[in-house]
Amino acid sequence: MMNIQQDIVQLIEKTIIALYGETQVAAKLEHTNPDFRGDYTFVVFPLLRYSKLSPEATAEQIGNALVKSDLITEFNVVKGFLNLVVNPSIYQEFLNQQWNNPGFTKLAHGNGQKVMVEYSSPNTNKPLHLGHIRNNLLGYSVAQILDANGYDVIKANLVNDRGIHICKSMLAWQRFGNGETPETAQLKGDHLVGKYYVIFETALVEQTKDLIAQAKEGNWQPSDEKIAHRYQTIWANLQKAVAANEEKQIAKLQDDIKDLVRNQSELMISCAEMLRKWESGDEEVIALWRKMNNWVYDGFAVTYSKLGVDFHKYYYESNTYTLGKDIIEGGLKAGVFYQKPDNSVWIDLKDIQLDEKLVLRSDGTSVYITQDIGTADLKYQDFGINKSIYVVGNEQDYHFKVLFHIMKKLERPYADGMFHLSYGMVDLPSGKMKSREGTVVDADDLINEMVEEAKKKTAELGKTQGLEADELNNLYESLGLSALKFFILKVDPKKRMLFNPQESIDFQGDTGPFVQYTYARIQSILRNAGDNWQNSIAKEIPLHEVELANIQTLYLYQGILKEACEQFSPALISGYCLDLAKSFNRLYNEVSILKETNEDIKNNRLKLAYFTANTLKHALSLLGIKVVERM
């Protein structure tokens, strides 16, 4: 495909040589500010020492030289900014060449390099919630964008299927479940297990609330001497904080007391014992664990299907939590790690302002980063990946800085390709979510709410005549999910976001349904146009301002696609979808397509509509959004 920007750069560099004899200047272009006429802008200030002229005179001199080419038709100067207008015939040629080219959306920047995108990473003690939705949509979209850029992508899911949090649900079901199953409860399996996680926490509150109140008053007397000493230390520090009126320290120490009391409760002690039995392979505990996890996996599968996300590879913490020990042993011998007198193993990262980090406990058991070290090696052994992207919330920023630095210290061949795609949390107008209290926004409930909202909005518009019941249901589902996905993905991943279901479904706003409506509008035009236009001979015709703007937006797509890949940012694709949809709707509103009497102009506009629709369809697919043919 022609590269207009690159051609202009080369023309400017040749002009600089011709005017000033300077061969070492690398020209750089910017897109022209919308307040001024032009497609690209060249800043001339760095050339003043060669031109010996004012910024305006230098820009005029270069502009006058450029318009002698077939590439630039006119220019204007704003101080030292040279705004260039590209010859419209070049964009017409681009349309003629690319309007039905299936290769337009296929880039090769990745050159077949293998990249793993790890996302979702759910816990098997509760269903997926709104936070998981952002993770899944972001991970899936980034994988799609990488694939479109020519990478060989492996989508992976590391499932957190073991640990004390899993045992909480298991113990609660064992004590309070009375043999309840997803079938008898008529609940998805993940919802049932999540129900017992909340039941456990409720029972724990009841069991400990009086003791916690006493402990905060200094009246708790634990039987374990070590715990008693720990409590006394915290209590003494609390009194100092109260005397100094240090509110944050008071809150922290009160939380420490609460956690200490909770961990000494009968429920938590029983839970810890269940975990020890699991780790020792107790048959009864393992059987219960497998049964409840299978319930959860069945539930997850339904939610993943609704969201339209999938995975090539699953890793399970129950299989990977012991990995990494041998690697750490080797790193200890190589001097990457060091051992303390209690035999615990650490790494000193103070040279990069990350302090010291425990990588193996004194009893030889793993910590979380031990597992991640081992799993990183396992991924490389499985796939020989060049890049590994971890889609994980920003509360884990420190963890991944440490992990990546460790892998570089260990000289792993894949270490430089490791990247943490850190994203902000999702809030609702009602505030934050809390898993323990059962106040999270369930993913399935939210999806159903979005579909119902789409049904309501569509009915209000009254544009469903002639659609069968199945078509309507598919339409509502597609619109609801597009609203959800687009609203979440249009926000820069690094930013914390507020999700508003009603705002996301607005057909007139910057939403997924608005973009889908534009696509469906084009399909209606093309159905009414017949097929003869597709075989029409391309001709050089004058372009209306809105046609030119639409073609120029299409021309930008490959650059946006590459940039979205480099930045791992679906938000760039979302923004592009809005720009392209708006440029076509402006064309639709300002000029006629089907009623145009000049056949050449009409056929040209139909090709432009077809090109726009296919580009929208591809861009939306990168966001995991399916288009609808009729609305």
Side-chain angles (χ1 to χ4, degrees):
M1 190 186 88
M2 67 182 75
N3 190 320
I4 298 172
Q5 191 166 347
Q6 185 175 308
D7 290 346
I8 295 173
V9 165
Q10 291 175 354
L11 179 61
I12 291 174
E13 290 176 350
K14 288 179 181 177
T15 301
I16 292 171
I17 294 171
L19 289 174
Y20 313 123
E22 180 53 49
T23 61
Q24 301 303 312
V25 175
K28 292 182 180 180
L29 292 181
E30 302 170 359
H31 289 289
T32 302
N33 186 310
D35 293 336
F36 302 102
R37 177 164 171 74
D39 300 307
Y40 296 100
T41 296
F42 176 60
V43 181
V44 304
F45 293 110
L47 297 176
L48 302 186
R49 58 177 172 161
Y50 307 120
S51 68
K52 311 299 183 184
L53 300 170
S54 69
E56 292 83 354
T58 302
E60 287 281 350
Q61 192 174 53
I62 296 172
N64 283 321
L66 295 179
V67 292
K68 295 176 182 178
S69 73
D70 294 331
L71 195 55
I72 304 298
T73 55
E74 61 178 283
F75 70 92
N76 63 83
V77 175
V78 181
K79 297 183 178 179
F81 298 87
L82 173 60
N83 301 319
L84 304 171
V85 177
V86 176
N87 188 337
S89 66
I90 292 175
Y91 286 112
Q92 178 65 60
E93 182 185 353
F94 163 73
L95 175 64
N96 293 339
Q97 291 177 354
Q98 303 295 333
W99 73 271
N100 63 345
N101 176 17
F104 176 69
T105 56
K106 296 176 182 177
L107 306 184
H109 305 302
N111 199 29
Q113 291 183 75
K114 289 188 177 180
V115 55
M116 178 176 284
V117 183
E118 179 195 300
Y119 60 99
S120 197
S121 303
N123 296 325
T124 57
N125 65 322
K126 54 193 173 185
L128 303 177
H129 56 62
L130 177 55
H132 291 116
I133 287 180
R134 188 176 198 190
N135 182 298
N136 278 278
L137 297 182
L138 183 57
Y140 180 82
S141 182
V142 166
Q144 293 291 94
I145 291 167
L146 286 163
D147 180 75
N149 276 271
Y151 286 91
D152 181 3
V153 182
I154 303 104
K155 292 175 281 189
N157 188 348
L158 175 60
V159 182
N160 300 306
D161 65 338
R162 64 167 291 278
I164 197 73
H165 53 295
I166 309 298
C167 291
K168 288 180 180 180
S169 293
M170 291 165 59
L171 185 66
W173 183 87
Q174 198 175 59
R175 291 195 178 183
F176 313 119
N178 297 315
E180 188 174 38
T181 67
E183 290 74 25
T184 61
Q186 295 187 323
L187 282 173
K188 283 176 75 233
D190 52 337
H191 286 193
L192 181 65
V193 174
K195 166 186 166 182
Y196 283 98
Y197 181 70
V198 174
I199 287 173
F200 178 92
E201 290 295 336
T202 303
L204 184 60
V205 169
E206 285 299 314
Q207 193 176 94
T208 60
K209 64 181 180 180
D210 291 339
L211 283 175
I212 290 171
Q214 292 172 26
K216 287 181 178 179
E217 294 297 324
N219 299 322
W220 185 45
Q221 295 180 336
S223 56
D224 185 288
E225 287 187 15
K226 289 184 178 179
I227 300 300
H229 178 71
R230 172 69 179 146
Y231 169 61
Q232 289 164 7
T233 301
I234 296 173
W235 173 251
N237 290 334
L238 178 60
Q239 300 318 296
K240 293 177 184 177
V242 170
N245 198 27
E246 298 174 343
E247 292 185 7
K248 287 186 178 179
Q249 184 69 357
I250 291 169
K252 178 188 179 300
L253 291 167
Q254 286 182 336
D255 284 342
D256 289 345
I257 288 174
K258 179 181 176 180
D259 289 341
L260 201 61
V261 174
R262 282 168 57 96
N263 288 334
Q264 292 306 300
S265 67
E266 181 275 330
L267 271 173
M268 284 302 297
I269 290 172
S270 298
C271 206
E273 176 60 23
M274 177 176 277
L275 180 58
R276 281 192 289 271
K277 286 183 177 181
W278 183 91
E279 290 181 348
S280 65
D282 181 278
E283 291 184 6
E284 183 179 344
V285 172
I286 293 293
L288 175 60
W289 170 76
R290 283 179 177 151
K291 175 167 65 176
M292 295 184 71
N293 270 357
N294 284 334
W295 290 345
V296 173
Y297 296 144
D298 289 343
F300 284 171
V302 173
T303 309
Y304 287 144
S305 178
K306 285 181 180 178
L307 282 175
V309 302
D310 57 10
F311 307 92
H312 300 116
K313 177 69 176 180
Y314 281 85
Y315 291 100
Y316 298 92
E317 190 176 326
S318 56
N319 295 331
T320 63
Y321 80 105
T322 58
L323 295 178
K325 290 183 180 181
D326 290 343
I327 297 172
I328 289 172
E329 188 65 33
L332 191 59
K333 293 176 182 177
V336 174
F337 307 109
Y338 68 95
Q339 201 161 30
K340 289 191 175 182
D342 66 354
N343 291 325
S344 60
V345 181
W346 298 70
I347 186 168
D348 187 350
L349 301 173
K350 290 195 290 291
D351 60 322
I352 56 168
Q353 290 76 50
L354 292 180
D355 208 354
E356 297 176 299
K357 177 68 177 178
L358 175 72
V359 295
L360 211 58
R361 294 190 184 97
S362 57
D363 61 2
T365 56
S366 302
V367 291
Y368 198 76
I369 205 160
T370 320
Q371 169 192 297
D372 275 357
I373 290 169
T375 306
D377 254 21
L378 179 61
K379 290 176 178 178
Y380 186 72
Q381 292 165 18
D382 286 346
F383 296 100
I385 52 179
N386 304 99
K387 296 177 182 290
S388 185
I389 300 166
Y390 297 78
V391 183
V392 183
N394 57 14
E395 73 277 8
Q396 294 294 327
D397 284 355
Y398 181 84
H399 174 85
F400 283 104
K401 285 179 182 177
V402 171
L403 174 64
F404 298 165
H405 191 71
I406 287 174
M407 303 320 288
K408 287 178 181 178
K409 288 273 191 181
L410 291 170
E411 298 181 345
R412 287 306 193 259
Y414 53 83
D416 287 337
M418 299 175 81
F419 179 80
H420 176 205
L421 180 48
S422 174
Y423 64 90
M425 297 296 99
V426 184
D427 295 323
L428 288 162
S430 57
K432 296 180 182 178
M433 303 177 290
K434 297 179 181 178
S435 297
R436 286 180 178 179
E437 298 171 15
T439 60
V440 298
V441 177
D442 179 82
D444 296 304
D445 290 345
L446 181 58
I447 291 169
N448 292 336
E449 179 186 340
M450 295 302 301
V451 172
E452 284 302 310
E453 193 68 26
K455 181 177 181 180
K456 176 183 171 184
K457 290 282 187 181
T458 306
E460 288 174 358
L461 292 173
K463 295 185 177 182
T464 59
Q465 295 88 349
L467 296 178
E468 300 293 332
D470 287 347
E471 288 180 299
L472 283 174
N473 288 333
N474 288 335
L475 175 63
Y476 301 147
E477 185 174 323
S478 180
L479 289 176
L481 283 168
S482 76
L484 173 65
K485 293 178 179 183
F486 198 91
F487 196 91
I488 286 177
L489 292 174
K490 75 177 183 179
V491 178
D492 185 294
K494 295 184 287 294
K495 294 181 179 178
R496 192 174 189 121
M497 68 170 293
L498 181 71
F499 179 72
N500 188 321
Q502 284 71 39
E503 185 181 333
S504 71
I505 203 82
D506 186 354
F507 281 65
Q508 301 302 316
D510 290 346
T511 65
F514 165 72
V515 179
Q516 282 186 307
Y517 184 72
T518 302
Y519 175 86
R521 166 178 276 172
I522 295 174
Q523 295 310 304
S524 176
I525 293 169
L526 296 176
R527 282 193 297 271
N528 290 325
D531 297 324
N532 292 337
W533 61 272
Q534 297 185 39
N535 299 318
S536 62
I537 298 172
K539 294 183 179 179
E540 184 75 27
I541 58 172
L543 290 173
H544 190 282
E545 176 190 351
V546 291
E547 293 175 290
L548 181 60
N550 197 183
I551 299 171
Q552 288 172 328
T553 307
L554 285 163
Y555 176 80
L556 296 175
Y557 185 53
Q558 290 190 343
I560 295 290
L561 187 51
K562 181 183 177 184
E563 188 178 356
C565 177
E566 292 169 345
Q567 296 186 23
F568 306 118
S569 179
L572 294 175
I573 300 297
S574 302
Y576 177 81
C577 286
L578 291 171
D579 289 343
L580 183 57
K582 289 174 182 177
S583 74
F584 180 82
N585 282 315
R586 184 184 169 204
L587 181 152
Y588 179 83
N589 289 324
E590 294 191 24
V591 301
S592 176
I593 299 178
L594 295 178
K595 293 182 180 180
E596 171 59 51
T597 56
N598 184 309
E599 284 297 309
D600 291 332
I601 294 176
K602 175 182 175 181
N603 292 338
N604 199 64
R605 288 174 183 168
L606 286 169
K607 289 176 181 178
L608 181 51
Y610 180 88
F611 192 5
T612 299
N614 282 350
T615 305
L616 281 177
K617 182 176 183 179
H618 184 264
L620 287 172
S621 75
L622 301 182
L623 305 176
I625 295 174
K626 295 179 180 178
V627 294
V628 288
E629 301 296 320
R630 299 174 186 268
M631 284 179 66

